[in-house]
Amino acid sequence: MSPEAEDVRVTQFKEAERRLWDRYDLSPEERTVALDDSGRNVRCWEVGSGPPLLFIHGGTAVGSTWVPLIDRVGDRRCIVIDRPGCGLSDPVDYHSIDPRHYSVEVIAGVLDELDVESVVIVGNSYGGTIGFFVALEHPDRVSSIVQMGTPLFFLNGSLPIWFRLLSVRGLNRALLRLQPPSPKQVRSLFEQVGHEETVADDRIPQEYFDMFYAYERLPRTGLKGALSQIERTTSVRGSRSTLQVTESLARRIGQRTLFVLGDSDPFGGPPVGRHATEVLPNARFETVSGGHLPFLDEPELCGRHLSEFLGE
């Protein structure tokens, strides 16, 4: 792809993001954080003021997927990142790094650059797993944790077969060629992760799908860019062992933790939440009707659970 064509797609993505934020009457500030140790740039959004929340998105997603939940957050400083290799952060070849160590240090570096001493981490999917590892390795930087959707590779969670097949190099690219990015494919993707009813009922704004479609088409990150993450972190049998949050690791997570899990989440859902409350020293969970990103199905209820947890 020519540099000119790449610039067009980046512009289209930025415009689609702005339309989504505008849809919710939110006016975030965009900034780029330079991480000295890695030499890479991480793109961030900030909106609101007050005690900080850090939102960490999943493996094939982008920071702006959190907008419907941020709309329900009260007086808080909401920090949203595009994880490296996603969105408009710098690309990363995950085959050349230790994904666990690298991801933890990226989060610590972002907090340093933004002068945040301690933060509440709100995570989804693989972003939720990263949040747990940050809490384990930098416990003084994480005051509490909220998991919106099942964290990957956590306790008795599961991985759908279609997701595990995406870890097979060659096969995954063939699968993407069969279903290239399109407005229809984006809706189908959200149906696959448990949001069939919400998609069918048009409860997700069109601006959300437009943003995600524009994201998937980004040439250096997007859907193809996510494949190196999936290949490095996942196998056809499940997770790579270094990324599994086992019971012994989970018992060391002392921060207050809230799980808000959809009853149609194909990555585990409520059984994971029940198991977590038996293992983590200070955890509870709530079930909502929905899929892997429950704040798309029940934004008001998820926002209420989050606000009540933060106010305790």
Side-chain angles (χ1 to χ4, degrees):
M1 178 177 292
S2 69
E4 293 78 10
E6 181 174 339
D7 288 343
V8 168
R9 292 198 177 185
V10 169
T11 299
Q12 290 172 338
F13 172 59
K14 285 188 169 185
E15 291 173 347
E17 276 189 310
R18 280 294 177 183
R19 288 193 295 271
L20 176 62
W21 288 93
D22 290 345
R23 169 71 171 73
Y24 290 89
D25 294 323
L26 295 170
S27 301
E29 176 185 354
E30 180 183 357
R31 62 185 295 181
T32 299
V33 174
L35 300 181
D36 294 335
D37 291 341
S38 69
R40 296 189 175 98
N41 295 318
V42 175
R43 186 230 202 177
C44 304
W45 295 97
E46 286 196 58
V47 63
S49 60
L53 302 179
L54 176 65
F55 293 80
I56 309 177
H57 65 79
T60 58
V62 65
S64 291
T65 54
W66 288 108
V67 173
L69 181 62
I70 291 171
D71 179 53
R72 303 289 175 167
V73 175
D75 296 329
R76 291 275 172 167
R77 176 189 178 190
C78 295
I79 303 166
V80 184
I81 66 169
D82 291 349
R83 291 193 301 100
C86 302
L88 296 183
S89 290
D90 285 348
V92 175
D93 179 5
Y94 276 80
H95 293 289
S96 64
I97 61 174
D98 176 339
R100 172 175 166 177
H101 174 76
Y102 176 74
S103 297
V104 167
E105 293 312 304
V106 163
I107 299 302
V110 167
L111 295 179
D112 288 341
E113 291 297 319
L114 297 181
D115 295 322
V116 176
E117 292 185 5
S118 181
V119 72
V120 177
I121 287 182
V122 184
N124 169 258
S125 194
Y126 182 51
T129 310
I130 292 170
F132 280 136
F133 286 130
V134 176
L136 285 165
E137 298 184 32
H138 299 280
D140 56 321
R141 308 298 299 270
V142 181
S143 59
S144 53
I145 303 167
V146 178
Q147 297 289 352
M148 285 283 171
T150 309
L152 258 61
F153 319 136
F154 180 77
L155 297 180
N156 59 327
S158 57
L159 295 177
I161 183 61
W162 60 265
F163 187 83
R164 284 182 274 144
L165 291 177
L166 288 175
S167 71
V168 181
R169 193 181 300 192
L171 175 61
N172 51 19
R173 285 158 178 78
L175 292 173
L176 290 188
R177 285 194 295 271
L178 290 174
Q179 281 196 316
S182 71
K184 181 179 179 181
Q185 173 269 331
V186 170
R187 287 177 174 267
S188 176
L189 175 62
F190 281 93
E191 290 172 345
Q192 277 187 295
V193 294
H195 304 291
E196 296 94 334
E197 290 187 11
T198 306
V199 171
D201 294 343
D202 291 325
R203 281 184 279 153
I204 301 174
Q206 183 59 44
E207 291 88 347
Y208 195 93
F209 293 123
D210 292 344
M211 180 279 296
F212 210 89
Y213 170 53
Y215 164 58
E216 286 190 338
R217 298 177 73 242
L218 289 177
R220 297 199 302 155
T221 55
L223 201 55
K224 291 183 179 179
L227 289 183
S228 78
Q229 295 183 57
I230 297 175
E231 290 170 353
R232 185 70 174 86
T233 61
T234 311
S235 73
V236 291
R237 294 183 177 181
S239 70
R240 307 293 181 184
S241 59
T242 58
L243 295 169
Q244 184 72 36
V245 182
T246 61
E247 284 198 9
S248 60
L249 278 178
R251 292 185 193 281
R252 292 169 45 200
I253 300 168
Q255 290 88 347
R256 287 194 316 128
T257 304
L258 169 66
F259 293 81
V260 181
L261 306 180
D263 57 8
S264 298
D265 188 338
F267 291 87
V272 174
R274 284 191 286 271
H275 192 182
T277 60
E278 297 168 356
V279 176
L280 274 72
N282 198 3
R284 66 181 177 86
F285 90 99
E286 303 285 350
T287 300
V288 300
S289 176
H292 193 45
L293 291 80
F295 51 89
L296 295 182
D297 310 283
E298 298 280 1
E300 183 175 352
L301 181 56
C302 288
R304 186 160 67 245
H305 285 317
L306 173 59
S307 296
E308 290 174 355
F309 177 76
L310 295 175
E312 291 173 357

